[in-house]
Each structure stands twice: as C-alpha cells, then as structure tokens.
Amino acid sequence: MNGIIETDVQTIEVALGERRYPVWIGRGLLHDSARWRARLRGRHALVVSNTTVAPLYLERLAQGLDGLQWSSFLLDDGEAHKSFANVGRALDALATLGATRDACVIALGGGVVGDLAGFAAACWMRGIDFIQMPTTLLAMVDSSVGGKTGVNLPAGKNLVGAFHQPRAVVADIDTLATLPEREYCAGLAEVVKGAAIGDADFFAWLETHADALAARDTAKVIEAIARKVRYKAGVVARDETEQGERALLNLGHTFGHALETAGRYTTLLHGEAVAIGMLLAARLSERLGMSGAPDSARLQHLLARLGLPVSMPTGSDPEQLLALMRLDKKNTAGTLRLILWRGIGRAQIVGGADEAAVLAVLREASAAASHPA
Ligand code: NAD
Ligand code: GLY
C-alpha cells in the first residue's frame, strides 16, 4: 500500500433486529487484539485459514490468542477446496480441540476460507460464534459481511450452506499488500457493483477516485470498502435471508456464473466474471428500454479504469451461455429471473426475462469479442 501515514479505523454496524455486529476496517487490526478479543466469549478458538494466507498472517493473529486453547486448520488453496469433505475436517479439528458451545471459529483468508469456516461454525453444536478476518478485497467488501456461509458440491457452486452471521468482521487492510493485482481488481468489481445497484453518489465518487483506487491509495481504499460495506449492511438489515431486495446484490451474477462455468473456473476470477456480467446485464437492460447507453458507457469506462475485463472471453458460445443461465439458482418455474439495471444506482429483479433478447445480447458481445473495433 502507499500513501500510508495514519488512518482511522472505520466501524460499521450490521444491525439485524436485536443482533448487531461491528465491521472494523483499517490498518494494523490483526495486531489490535484488544479490539477483537472482546468478541470471543469462551476459552476455545479454531483458526481456519489456507496454505497461502497462514504463512503470511497467522503469526500476527496468534499473538492475540494468548491464554486461549486454540489450534488452526488449514485448507489447500483454491475454490476446489471449499468442499463438504473439508467442513468435516474442520469439525474434526473442533472436536480434537474439545470446543464447547462458547468456542469461536476465526476465518483468516478470502471468501473461500470465510464461507467454509462460517459454515463449520454454523454446524458445530448447531451453531457457535465465528469472526471473519478477511484478507482479500472481495472478502472485505462482500463475502465477510451478511452471513452467507457454505460450500460447493460437484453439482454446483454454493449449493449447501446456512445463514450464520459473524460476531465481528476485522478487515485489516495491511493484508492487501500481498494480494496479487488480479485478485485486488476482482475485489474492485464488487465495489463497483454495490454503487451501480444502489448508490449513484458512490458511483460518481468511484469515477473521481478510480486512479487512486487502482494505485491502492490507503485512505481511498478504506473509504471505498466502508461505503460498500455500509450499503450492503443496509440491504442485509432489511432482508437478511434474501426474500426480496437482497437478490439485487446479484447484478451481473447470472451472466457471470455462466461465463465462469463455461471457462471451467480457470479463465475468469469471480469478480472479473461479475464485471463482464454487469455489462451484459446493462446491455440487456438497454435493449429492453430500462436504461440508456450513456449509463452503460460510464459503467464500462469505470470498470476498464479499475483494471477489469470489459468484453467476453474470445470463443464464448452464446447458446451454451444461455443454457447455463437457465440453471441459475434464482430462476423460478422454468423462466429466467435476472437482476437488470435502471441506470446508475438503480437495479430491479425481472422474472420471465425475454430469452430472445438475452441471446441477442450474448451473440452481439461474443461477436464484438472476436472482432474488436
Ligand atoms: P479466495 O478466497 O480464493 O482468495 C483468492 C486468492 O487470494 C487465493 O489464492 C488466496 O489464497 C489468496 N489470498 C487471500 N488473501 C491473500 C493475501 N492477503 N495475500 C496474498 N494472497 C491472498 O477468493 P475470494 O475472491 O476472496 O472469494 C471467492 C469466494 O467467495 C468464492 O467461493 C465465492 O463463492 C465466495 N463469495 C461468498 C459471498 C458471500 O456472501 N458469502 C459473496 C461473494 C463471494
Ligand atoms: N453476495 C451476495 C449476498 O451476500 O447476498
């Protein structure tokens, strides 16, 4: 990170009726155990991390666990390890630790670690505490907040899971110093998504500060994370279990998941697929008369400035993508249910989306990717 001198810690409270938890965003938070240790209630803690993140940051966290009975469980790195088998192993680690009902699981890593650790916490003795310590930008702005936990099955991504809210989220942005550039940019896509869906002022702020964000300016990164988390916390507070509004957070996801699946999860990172997916959703919305070309152009320009892909991978097959979109979890009764765009800062859930229009957008984007202007 650059431009680092002194930055305050931002605190955002996620409020779900009587239940509340803080999201702390700032520098040096892993070291700042006086702050987060108070969120641990018992004597046992299991730190779940992975083989990439633990060598970098486990020691920093461990100094705050003095006096507790604790152990760690490390996943191999990668989405493939967000599996049911590894939940079983994490639960075995809790059993070996002798974890009681007041034990806490601490997730130190990106979204893969956070989703699996949270699900293990939801299962052990029908639900114990967990704390999210996200170390990717994507996890800081999205997956660590809101309580969606779970794992993948061979049949599909995130098919098993539970809503289980953390006791606290500790986003130490010093950890972003080691995050590879592509992963950092993928996280920025999730920031843009929040602004595109629900906050036009934030979108304009991102346009103003895109260069600083691309250069990882500390103060701007903290502000961007805080604004996205504040927006998401509001949505989750109104619709914790996705009965309505929370589905809007999936703008671009149906297109994006189809692109990820078509690329066998090796071509695009999730955030990159979401960036392209948002643009496809914007073009479809234009075609359906819901939004205008200038808004799509602003979205495309911002994503490109933040180092994100703005066209489909060459060789994408529109018919295959449409078939994959038909398998999306959000669909109902055999019709496509999409999150579409009403321009900067406004999104809408559309059931029974016009498949011919979807196919036309996919064909156009595929042709443009094969023959760039
Ligand atoms: P990830 O957890 O795979 O992390 C990306 C890569 O960065 C990994 O190789 C990881 O080891 C590495 N890494 C993590 N922190 C690092 C650091 N500080 N320095 C160096 N390397 C580091 O991926 P992700 O993008 O964080 O999360 C994606 C996952 O999140 C997916 O499984 C997705 O389904 C899930 N997700 C969940 C929600 C939710 O609401 N629960 C929302 C969005 C995404
Ligand atoms: N990532 C979408 C959600 O948390 O609902």
Side-chain angles (χ1 to χ4, degrees), residues 59-334:
E59 204 178 303
R60 226 177 267 191
L61 159 62
Q63 48 76 36
L65 299 176
D66 252 9
L68 293 178
Q69 281 176 259
W70 72 276
S71 64
S72 60
F73 170 69
L74 303 190
L75 298 170
D76 286 333
D77 197 348
E79 184 72 37
H81 303 288
K82 200 173 102 176
S83 64
F84 221 70
N86 275 328
V87 176
R89 293 185 186 105
L91 295 173
D92 286 343
L94 282 162
T96 304
L97 183 64
T100 43
R101 293 203 70 153
D102 54 3
C104 184
V105 172
I106 299 177
L108 176 71
V112 166
V113 164
D115 280 11
L116 183 141
F119 187 48
C123 296
W124 181 251
M125 297 191 175
R126 300 195 182 88
I128 60 168
D129 288 349
F130 85 112
I131 292 181
Q132 290 273 19
M133 297 197 176
T135 62
T136 64
L137 183 58
L138 184 139
M140 291 179 189
V141 300
D142 195 355
S143 60
S144 66
V145 177
K148 280 190 182 176
T149 72
V151 293
N152 306 323
L153 289 184
K157 254 192 93 170
N158 296 330
L159 283 181
V160 181
F163 286 100
H164 188 56
Q165 301 289 341
R167 284 271 296 161
V169 179
V170 181
D172 183 343
I173 64 148
D174 286 346
T175 61
L176 298 180
T178 50
L179 190 68
E181 187 64 9
R182 245 185 107 187
E183 297 287 353
Y184 176 76
C185 295
L188 288 175
E190 297 288 352
V191 176
V192 172
K193 189 182 72 180
I197 296 165
D199 190 341
D201 289 344
F202 182 28
F203 195 95
W205 183 91
L206 291 171
E207 291 178 313
T208 304
H209 299 293
D211 295 340
L213 287 168
R216 307 196 191 197
D217 175 275
T218 303
K220 296 294 180 291
V221 171
I222 293 178
E223 186 164 350
I225 297 170
R227 290 181 80 147
K228 167 67 201 288
V229 168
R230 203 171 290 121
Y231 168 70
K232 182 165 180 180
V235 174
V236 170
R238 292 186 292 274
D239 180 20
E240 182 180 2
T241 56
E242 199 167 311
Q243 305 304 307
E245 182 187 358
R246 186 165 179 170
L248 294 178
L249 298 178
N250 294 318
L251 177 68
H253 279 218
T254 308
F255 285 105
H257 282 159
L259 289 165
E260 280 181 283
T261 310
R264 295 173 199 273
Y265 296 94
T266 56
T267 319
L268 294 169
L269 298 178
H270 176 68
E272 294 172 336
V274 166
I276 303 168
M278 282 193 286
L279 284 168
L280 293 169
R283 293 200 186 112
L284 176 61
S285 307
E286 256 183 69
R287 189 174 273 268
L288 299 175
M290 294 172 59
S291 64
D295 281 350
S296 304
R298 274 178 73 187
L299 179 61
Q300 174 159 340
H301 188 54
L302 178 59
L303 292 168
R305 284 177 70 200
L306 295 174
L308 285 154
V310 291
S311 55
M312 293 213 299
T314 48
S316 298
D317 173 353
E319 276 78 13
Q320 182 205 12
L321 291 172
L322 179 61
L324 289 168
M325 288 174 73
R326 289 197 190 104
L327 300 176
D328 190 84
K329 287 202 291 292
K330 286 185 296 304
N331 296 338
T332 43

Side-chain angles (χ1 to χ4, degrees), residues 337-354:
R337 189 159 167 268
L338 298 176
I339 312 306
L340 295 182
W341 211 36
R342 288 215 163 267
I344 312 269
R346 290 171 65 208
Q348 185 181 330
I349 303 166
V350 175
D354 177 353

Side-chain angles (χ1 to χ4, degrees), residues 12-82:
I12 290 144
E13 190 173 61
V14 183
L16 303 144
E18 298 289 290
R19 291 167 299 144
R20 283 152 200 268
Y21 60 90
V23 180
W24 290 302
I25 304 152
R27 299 200 54 208
L29 289 173
L30 289 183
H31 276 303
D32 187 7
S33 55
R35 181 186 295 274
W36 48 260
R37 185 69 190 256
R39 306 299 294 175
L40 276 79
R41 293 192 267 214
R43 287 180 301 115
H44 296 110
L46 178 72
V47 180
V48 178
S49 189
N50 77 9
T51 50
T52 302
V53 177
L56 295 168
Y57 300 113
L58 182 54
E59 204 178 303
R60 226 177 267 191
L61 159 62
Q63 48 76 36
L65 299 176
D66 252 9
L68 293 178
Q69 281 176 259
W70 72 276
S71 64
S72 60
F73 170 69
L74 303 190
L75 298 170
D76 286 333
D77 197 348
E79 184 72 37
H81 303 288
K82 200 173 102 176

